Amino acid sequence: MIPHQPIAAPDAPLARRNPVAKVAAALVLSVALIATVDPVTPAVAIGFQLAVVPLFGVRYSALARRAWPLLLSALGIFGTLLLFAAERTGTLLWQAGPVEVTTGVLGTALGMALRVVAVALPGVLVFATTDPTDLADALVQNVKAPPRFAIGALAAFRLVPLLAVEWQMVSLARRARGIEAGRNPLARLRLFGSTAFTLLVGAIRRGTRLAAAMDARGFDSGVPRTAARRQRFGAADAALIAGAVLLAGAALGLSVALGTFRPLLR
């Protein structure tokens, strides 16, 4: 099952911050890190992000269990660029047949892999320390997002774990009927596609029923809604966003000072 509940200690200093402030801080870091492809900027950002993990009330082991797909993606990007990069600039470091690893290729591959982790890790921390209901309430109260959008997104987010459960149920039902791919990779691919299509059809039907149920309960009435839990945006929340801006500036400044800054758009 895909986890969606927060895993942070509720009394942790940064876990208590307004959900909108945490999302805004993550966006600030993401935008700054996308601007460059050098490895220094994301490395500095990752180091700081890992250093503040205890302030979010999250254990490193719990964070690793949630972020392992991210780490796997970063390793895949690093290996792909290292082996199949078109430009082989710089000094030759290692060669095995047609594969040549140069300083330019290594820097680009390392920079892209680290950037993926640095951009996505704040989002992992935000959703690991934020209750989805609090996030929807904060979007409506602090950002003035339409309640229909915010509550609909909350309902969809709550239903995400059901997709994993239904995938397992469909797979077990097909196995009980003798529909298995065995060791044939093509059969596995066809079975994967048909299972995904079955899951898509079920998700569309559930979404249609959920939309009708929400409209029947007055979520689209246009009448101003009250909030059961107030989400206040205070000075500490503004300081969190300011800290993210300072971190992004420091990481980019250090990269420029070391001469490694490589803008994405030249």
Side-chain angles (χ1 to χ4, degrees):
M1 179 178 292
I2 301 175
H4 65 280
Q5 292 296 334
I7 57 175
D11 58 343
L14 295 184
R16 299 198 308 266
R17 301 280 62 83
N18 187 287
V20 170
K22 290 189 283 187
V23 171
L27 288 177
V28 167
L29 287 176
S30 299
V31 171
L33 293 171
I34 289 175
T36 178
V37 295
D38 72 282
V40 174
T41 304
V44 173
I46 291 174
F48 182 83
Q49 291 164 13
L50 292 178
V52 300
V53 166
L55 297 179
F56 280 95
V58 179
R59 295 182 178 180
Y60 288 106
S61 57
L63 180 63
R65 285 194 296 270
R66 287 213 172 184
W68 71 263
L70 172 62
L71 300 177
L72 188 62
S73 300
L75 289 176
I77 292 173
F78 179 78
T80 301
L81 291 177
L82 203 64
L83 296 176
F84 303 108
E87 297 182 2
R88 302 283 171 173
T89 58
T91 305
L92 181 64
L93 299 176
W94 178 75
Q95 182 176 7
V99 179
E100 296 180 352
V101 178
T102 63
T103 54
V105 171
L106 183 61
T108 301
L110 186 61
M112 291 296 293
L114 290 176
R115 187 170 64 161
V116 168
V117 176
V119 168
L121 188 58
V124 175
L125 278 174
V126 168
F127 285 101
T129 60
T130 304
D131 184 86
T133 304
D134 292 339
L135 177 58
D137 289 341
L139 289 175
V140 174
Q141 297 174 34
N142 303 130
V143 188
K144 306 304 179 184
R148 181 182 177 90
F149 165 77
I151 299 175
L154 170 63
F157 192 71
R158 290 288 190 185
L159 291 176
V160 167
L162 292 180
L163 297 178
V165 175
E166 287 194 357
W167 183 281
Q168 185 178 12
M169 292 177 60
V170 171
S171 300
L172 292 176
R174 292 189 171 188
R175 183 177 301 176
R177 295 185 181 96
I179 305 177
E180 289 189 286
R183 297 182 179 179
N184 189 336
L186 295 179
R188 284 180 177 272
L189 184 61
R190 288 196 297 268
L191 187 60
F192 177 87
S194 62
T195 304
F197 181 76
T198 302
L199 203 66
L200 176 62
V201 172
I204 293 175
R205 290 176 177 174
R206 182 181 295 106
T208 303
R209 293 194 299 268
L210 179 61
M214 292 178 67
D215 286 342
R217 288 170 172 81
F219 282 96
D220 194 30
S221 63
V223 177
R225 308 183 64 86
T226 58
R229 294 186 292 185
R230 297 296 302 173
Q231 299 294 329
R232 304 187 184 279
F233 193 97
D237 303 308
L240 176 61
I241 300 176
V245 173
L246 291 177
L247 170 61
L252 291 173
L254 181 61
S255 176
V256 172
L258 295 177
T260 60
F261 182 75
R262 295 173 58 190
L264 180 63
L265 300 177
R266 299 181 181 180

